[in-house]
Structures are given as structure tokens and as C-alpha cells.
Amino acid sequence: MKTKLSPIQILGLCLMPVSMIIYHYVPNSNGSLEGAALLNYPIAIIYMLISLADRPNNKSLFKAGIPKLNWHIFLSLMMISCFTLNKDIHVFASTPLWLQAILPVSLSTFILLSYPTQLPLWLKKLSSFILGIGILIFLYYTIALLPYTPLAFIGLVLLGISIHLIIPLLILLSSLITAFKTKFINAIPGFTLAGFACGAIFLIIYISLYVHYDHKIKSTQQELVLNENDSLPEWVRYAQNSNSAFWTKRIIGKNLIYETYNNDWFSLDFNRGSFSEIRQHDPLVATASLFTDEISLSNQEQVQILSACADTRHYSYEKLWSGRHLSINKEVTDVRIYPEFRLAYFEKTFWIENYSTSRWSQEEALFTFYLPEGAVASSLSLWIDGKEETSRLTTRKKAAKAYKTIVGHERRDPVVLHWQEGNRLTATIFPCTPKEARRVKIGITTPLLKQGNQLCFTNMKYDGPKNINATETIHVKIIGNTDSYNPPSFFEEKLPKQFIYEGHLKGHWQFEVKTNTISNTTFSFNQKHYRLKPIESTKLDTPQAIYLDINQSWSKDELISILSHADQTPVYIHLNDFKQLDLTNLDTFYEYLSDKTFSLFPIFELPSTNNILLITKGSDQSPIPSELKNSPFYDNLIKKMNDNTQSIPTLVLGENKSPYITALEQFKLLNCRNTTIANLTQQPIDAWFQQYKSSDNKVNIPMAGITIEQVETNAPNSSLKAPSHLLRLYNYHKVMQSAGHLFLKDEADIPDSIYNLCNEAYIVTPISSLIVLETQKDYERFDIKENKNSLKNANLQDSGAVPEPHEWALIITLSLIVFYFYIKFR
């Protein structure tokens, strides 16, 4: 292939990747019409002007236009400018990833087919086929912007920016001419038609699936009519019929997560709370939505369904300010593992940057932390004017009021950490400005998961500001007498039992340590002493009845296995009321119940006898109890919590628990054990559930295989002191056992003795939160007093031992790393 390109054409081809890079790095802004979003527009216009020099010799400017290749390059640069400018003006919401990938390829083939010499046959066919798909995309944006075409011509009198509104039309017409005019020697019309047809077929299949799942969700309306005595909110039934998280997000999320074709497209209103930060304009969703009617749901019901089915609960938590321009640049994770106490304490420090082009921008960061089972938050810090300010513990109500007052009206520095149902925490930080990176730290006390002869520490998952380009430093230190451990391969052992990693952000990872003999040393505080013991269990008597909580995650073979091994014990399912299950009616019940995405088993309808067994299987998504407020189901659940004297023995098939089951376990309403069908079929029914011994001065932590006991006298003197985390875990589980469910009620009902447990251990619970305010006067104004008779913020030095000389070197190194990043992002 002989190349015949002018220097101007070569320049244009070089400008294409430059424009794409500019588009990639331009942030979403607030309609300021300034900064990087405008860069691609002058690039395209200047290229158009200098392309006039490529017109044929001795030809008038008005009688002969620029070469076809130059014209195609110009239109492609303008199309990229359209999407770049959209990040600032927000005619549409953000572009989905699939379109960001396919659009540059389509524009490249659009340019390639105008090449002045012959291309290889295979490249002609491929380019023509891809152009056919691109024509479908150009057609969509042409139709979407067609009503506003007159504005484009009116606006040309001004700055000319409005020309972007007709660029899709121009590029569509040019693509059609390229594909079907014989003067374009590289285009093969048949392959262009094939590409267009394939794209159209894909679109038809997408619309058909969209309509199918939309119809399935709407079939809920029939169930609501037939089931007059339903105690659940109506939106729960819609959520149960939302079998696919992918389609639910697109159907229920219309006009909330996804823009659709309506009058709101061009309102330039891109701020819809937290959901605005993930809102997209997907041409596939917008087109498919034209073939369905709206579902009569309120905005709040939409949010609740999406939280229950589509993993968007993080975006449903309350925020007062946007966080659209926030990202995490740096993260430091520092872990202390105590094998002899089967627990760990770790701190995560985040540097949050605001990349808005406006120096006055103030935004709010929201984090959702997914705690390991049995874990509790025990410290919080915020850096104010370069100094670390540690938190105070107060009631949830006081913390929420102080934060809302300061952030909503006064716009100054607070951070607050709240407990949420389902092993979650939420933290909100304000303000995050472009002037310097905001730095915040959270500390978590967690039991180690016992798996065979190994203890596992698992990195905590979280949702928050974007962290794609973040770097991370991880430091893990093992405290105690153990020489058997299994770190992930990316760690480097810098010192004995101390491991370091530096690099790109790591997601899920586990650190394993061999199980040690449990230490008998105690931790003493406020004249009370705490020590560990191995957990003790006994067999549950043969249950009088077995109750199955059936949903989409069950298989029919699992039900048959339970029925065949239940001996003479009756097995019940819940369908409006309890019905006995046997092989004769199994198919009928299974067909109905297994069609539900999740189940909400009404435990308040179970008989009061203690000798029953509940078997459930977890789905990843479900509502949580507090989302069911203002329904008879919720009222009955609260009554059951108030009257409850003993947890219901519950077997969970597999490792997952739904958020609903997890919350009930946190409230000590359920006593859960994870198992498998294989384990059940290999044991007699009276060995299916192991009951742990309990008393008023003990809390059991099954995942670690330990019991924390409050004892009258201290243990004999020892060179090793137990960490304060024994008390923190003991009090947390004591609070949850005694009053965890009171989070769902009025805070005035909570006795002072429960607050005292929270204050003593300095822990975040349903009724207590951690908060950092800017000044002492702020604390006084909101009556948030300094904590007394309290452990206060946990810290990494809580090992009871002084660092050895070789450890000081690592401590100093880590301090220098932290100081470096503080200076860099200040």
C-alpha cells in the first residue's frame, strides 16, 4: 500500500489520539464552560482551517473543498469534542463504557475508508463492517438531537459552540456517502449493510430482553391484587420479581441511574444526590425504554428496590453535598495480627482529592465499609490544618445533628462514622477541596476467621470515591509467638513477622496464620477483667420441626436431600402461611418460591418453642429490616425483637448470608452456622446444629472459635498484656445482644447502661457514633463531651509490648512515607 498523505493529513491523524487522551482525562464539571473540556474544540477548528491549504492547486476556495480524508478527520475531531464538551455542559449524562470503547473504533474506520489509496481486502471488509455499526450509533445521536438542530444554527452567530449539536447529523451523512458512493474505493457496501444489520439485530434482542424483564417485574401487580393480606410493602414484591440485577438496574433505575428519552434530557440538571455520581446516558437503555410503560413507583421506592436488588445501597445513604469530582489518590493499610488472641486491629488511611477546576469547590466524600463478620469500628481521625484530630464517641442522634448543622449550614470540617445494618459502616467527610488532599483514618477491631488450622485476616471491602489510579502501602505485623504464616505473594518480608507492599491498589486479599493455643492473659479496665476461652458447644436436641427459607438460590436437589434426611421431623415452608413440604407438593411450591430473587422469612410467625431449626440460603442482595418501616411485617419484627429471649438456631447453606439474615443475626435474633448439604447428609439430624454454651458474663464469637469471658480476678502476672480489643469486642457483642434492635426504635428507649458499654469500649454501634469536629466550641455547642472512663481511640501500639530496635526502623520508615504523601498532597 503506497502512502500519499500530505503533512496536514498526517498531523490530523496524530491529533486523533491526542484528542482521545484529552477526553479521557477531562473531569466532569459543573457547566463552567472553561478549562480542559474546551480544548478539543479549537483543535478541530484549527485543523479545519489549515486543511484549506490541502485543496487542489489553482482552485477557488468555494469551487473545490478540502480532500475527503481531511473532512473525515475534522468531523471525527469534532465528534470527540462533542463528548468532551458534554462532560462540562451535560447535555447527556456520562457515557457508558461500551460506547467509550466502540466510538473511537467507529471513528477510526470512518477515517480509514476515506484513505486515498487501496487498502488490503481484509481491512476493507472489517472497516466497512464496523462502519455499519457506527452508522447505527450516529443515527441514534442524530435523532436524539434533531429537535434542537435550529439552536445549532442560531448559536453559530455567537461562539459557534452550538455546532456540536449537528455534528452527529454531518457525520451520519458523510458515513452514508462513504459507504455507498463509488468514489470511495475502500468501502464495501455489502459489509457496511451487514454491520448495520448485526447492530440492529443486537438492538432488537436487547429490547426484547428489556421488555421481557419489564413485564416480569410488572406481573407483581397481579400478585398484589391476589394477596390482599400481604404484610410487606409493595415495593418488596416488585424487588422479589426482579430476577436479574443487570436488567433491574436498567428498568427500575430509569431517570434515576439511566437517562431515558423524555423532557428531562436537556434540563441540564445533573445533580440527583448520590445517584447523580453514577448516572449514565446509555443509548441502549434509552431506546429500549421507549417500548415500555412507566411503573407506578415513587422515587423512594425506586431507590429501595435498587438497594435490595442491584447493589446500589451505598448511593442511597444520605449526603448533603455532591462528591462527583472526588477520587482517592493514596491509601495506607496498617494491620496488627494477634494469633494468640484470634483477633486483629487494622487502620486504613485515605487521601481524598478534589479534581474540580473550580478552586472554590467544596464536596462531600461518602464511604461504605463492609466489615468482616463480628468486627467493630474503634477509632477515627481527621487531619485539620495538617494536624491529626482524633474522634469523640457520642450518641448517633447527637453526631448526626452536629454533622448536618455544620455541613448543611456552616460548611466547616467534620467527619462522622455511623453503624449500618448488615455489617456496614458509613463515613461522610466534608469539605474536600482542590486546595489539598483530605486525609481521614478509620480503625477496625476484628476477629480472625478460623478455617481448619488456619486463622485468616481478610482485607476490608469498601465503596467510596473513585480509586482507579490510587496507590497503596500495606504493612502487616504479626504480634505473638508464631512462625507459621502464609502471606499473599505480593508481600515482601522486610523484618521478622513484618510484611510490606507498595504499588497499585489491592482489592481482595487474605493473610493466613497458623492457629495458636489461645492465650490465658487478661485485659483489665475499670476493675473488670477479660480473657479468652475456646468456644464450647453441645448438640441441639432433635428438632421438632424444620423450616426452610426458600428463594432463587436453592436447587430442587437440595430440598429433596433435606426431606430425605429429616427422618420423621416435619419440614415446613412459608407461602402466605406455613405449609408442610413433602415430595408430593415439592414441585408446586418450589416453582413459585424459587422464582423469587430473595426471601424475607417471617420469623415472628415461628412457634415459641425453642426446639426448632431454620435453614436458609443466602442471596447477595435483599432489603434490610429498617427499609421495611411503616409495614405490618416491620411492626411484627420489632415486637419479636422486644420479646425475644433466645436466638433461633439457623443453618446457612454456603458461605453467603443475605443482608436481611445478616442483620437479624447482628440483632441476636438468629444464631447462625454455615454448612453445606454434603455435611448435613453425612450426619444424623441431631448433629446438624451445634449449640454454643452462653451465660451473662460471656460472649461467643463463633467465626474465631472463641468466647470472651468477664472474670472477677485478674490472671497471674505475665510479661504479655492482652490487647484492649478484648474489651472492645466483648462490649460490642454485649450491646448487640442486649439492645442492638433498639437502633430500629426511638433512641429515648435506650437505657444508660447500654450507652456506658459503648463509651467504655469506645465502639461504633447502632446507638453510638464517632465524630471529629473542628473546634472545642463545636463540641460544647452540641453537648459532645470528652469521653471519661473510656478506652478512647484504638491505636496500633496496643500490643502491650515496647517495639524492639529493629522495629523502630520500620516505624520510622512508615512515618516518613506518610509525611511524604502529606507534603505532596497538601
Side-chain angles (χ1 to χ4, degrees), residues 189-213:
F191 278 85
T192 302
L193 288 173
F196 184 88
C198 286
I201 291 170
F202 177 84
L203 178 61
I204 291 170
I205 294 172
Y206 186 96
I207 292 172
S208 300
L209 289 170
Y210 188 98
V211 171
H212 167 75
Y213 281 97

Side-chain angles (χ1 to χ4, degrees), residues 196-370:
F196 184 88
C198 286
I201 291 170
F202 177 84
L203 178 61
I204 291 170
I205 294 172
Y206 186 96
I207 292 172
S208 300
L209 289 170
Y210 188 98
V211 171
H212 167 75
Y213 281 97
D214 179 82
H215 177 74
K216 185 171 181 59
I217 293 173
K218 286 177 180 173
S219 67
T220 303
Q221 296 169 355
Q222 298 178 6
E223 295 182 24
L224 293 173
V225 173
L226 294 173
N227 190 2
E228 298 178 358
N229 298 319
D230 196 353
S231 62
L232 284 165
E234 289 188 4
W235 67 265
V236 173
R237 296 306 182 189
Y238 282 101
Q240 285 184 314
N241 284 337
S242 303
N243 297 104
S244 167
F246 177 88
W247 293 108
T248 299
K249 199 171 182 179
R250 285 153 179 77
I251 295 169
I252 301 297
K254 287 190 299 186
N255 302 320
L256 186 67
I257 298 178
Y258 291 94
E259 282 184 336
T260 56
Y261 190 83
N262 56 39
N263 294 330
D264 189 50
W265 267 18
F266 305 98
S267 65
L268 305 184
D269 175 19
F270 193 42
N271 183 15
R272 294 168 180 260
S274 297
F275 280 97
S276 71
E277 295 162 25
I278 59 170
R279 198 161 181 246
Q280 290 186 351
H281 182 86
D282 190 325
L284 291 173
V285 176
T287 303
S289 67
L290 295 174
F291 295 86
T292 61
D293 297 325
E294 292 292 329
I295 302 176
S296 56
L297 295 169
S298 67
N299 184 273
Q300 180 62 28
E301 287 173 326
Q302 282 183 276
V303 170
Q304 289 172 316
I305 293 172
L306 291 170
S307 296
C309 300
D311 196 23
T312 61
R313 187 169 281 114
H314 168 72
Y315 300 98
S316 68
Y317 292 123
E318 183 181 25
K319 275 178 65 180
L320 303 177
W321 291 71
S322 170
R324 193 180 307 126
H325 302 108
L326 300 183
S327 65
I328 297 171
N329 283 343
K330 173 71 180 176
E331 183 178 325
V332 172
T333 302
D334 211 337
V335 185
R336 299 292 182 270
I337 297 177
Y338 303 83
E340 294 170 297
F341 297 95
R342 297 194 183 177
L343 59 83
Y345 172 73
F346 64 95
E347 294 179 347
K348 279 188 174 288
T349 308
F350 302 93
W351 280 258
I352 308 162
E353 184 178 59
N354 183 337
Y355 55 81
S356 171
T357 55
S358 171
R359 58 181 300 222
W360 305 109
S361 171
Q362 290 186 320
E363 298 195 10
E364 182 180 17
L366 169 67
F367 285 86
T368 298
F369 299 103
Y370 301 88

Side-chain angles (χ1 to χ4, degrees), residues 501-573:
Y501 164 79
E502 287 186 276
H504 295 295
L505 198 67
K506 291 293 181 182
H508 176 80
W509 55 269
Q510 279 191 337
F511 196 111
E512 297 180 351
V513 181
K514 186 177 179 180
T515 303
N516 271 17
T517 303
I518 293 175
S519 174
N520 63 355
T521 57
T522 62
F523 175 78
S524 301
F525 189 75
N526 284 342
Q527 300 181 341
K528 291 176 285 188
H529 316 287
Y530 305 86
R531 70 180 179 192
L532 292 182
K533 291 177 60 179
I535 198 166
E536 298 179 359
S537 62
T538 59
K539 289 183 180 179
L540 186 72
D541 293 336
T542 301
Q544 295 177 359
I546 296 174
Y547 294 84
L548 303 184
D549 178 23
I550 301 175
N551 52 50
Q552 186 177 257
S553 59
W554 285 74
S555 70
K556 189 182 295 185
D557 289 340
E558 289 171 330
L559 294 179
I560 294 172
S561 294
I562 290 175
L563 283 173
S564 60
H565 289 82
D567 295 332
Q568 302 301 315
T569 305
V571 178
Y572 296 94
I573 56 95

Side-chain angles (χ1 to χ4, degrees), residues 174-202:
S174 297
S175 297
L176 293 173
I177 293 171
T178 300
F180 300 107
K181 284 284 187 178
T182 56
K183 61 182 179 181
F184 288 87
I185 58 176
N186 290 311
I188 303 178
F191 278 85
T192 302
L193 288 173
F196 184 88
C198 286
I201 291 170
F202 177 84

Side-chain angles (χ1 to χ4, degrees), residues 141-156:
Y141 281 102
T142 298
I143 294 173
L145 294 171
L146 201 57
Y148 300 88
T149 301
L151 294 177
F153 294 102
I154 295 172
L156 287 176

Side-chain angles (χ1 to χ4, degrees), residues 24-25 328-330 466-471 504-505:
H24 178 74
Y25 283 103
I328 297 171
N329 283 343
K330 173 71 180 176
K466 295 185 290 290
N467 60 6
I468 298 175
N469 298 316
T471 59
H504 295 295
L505 198 67

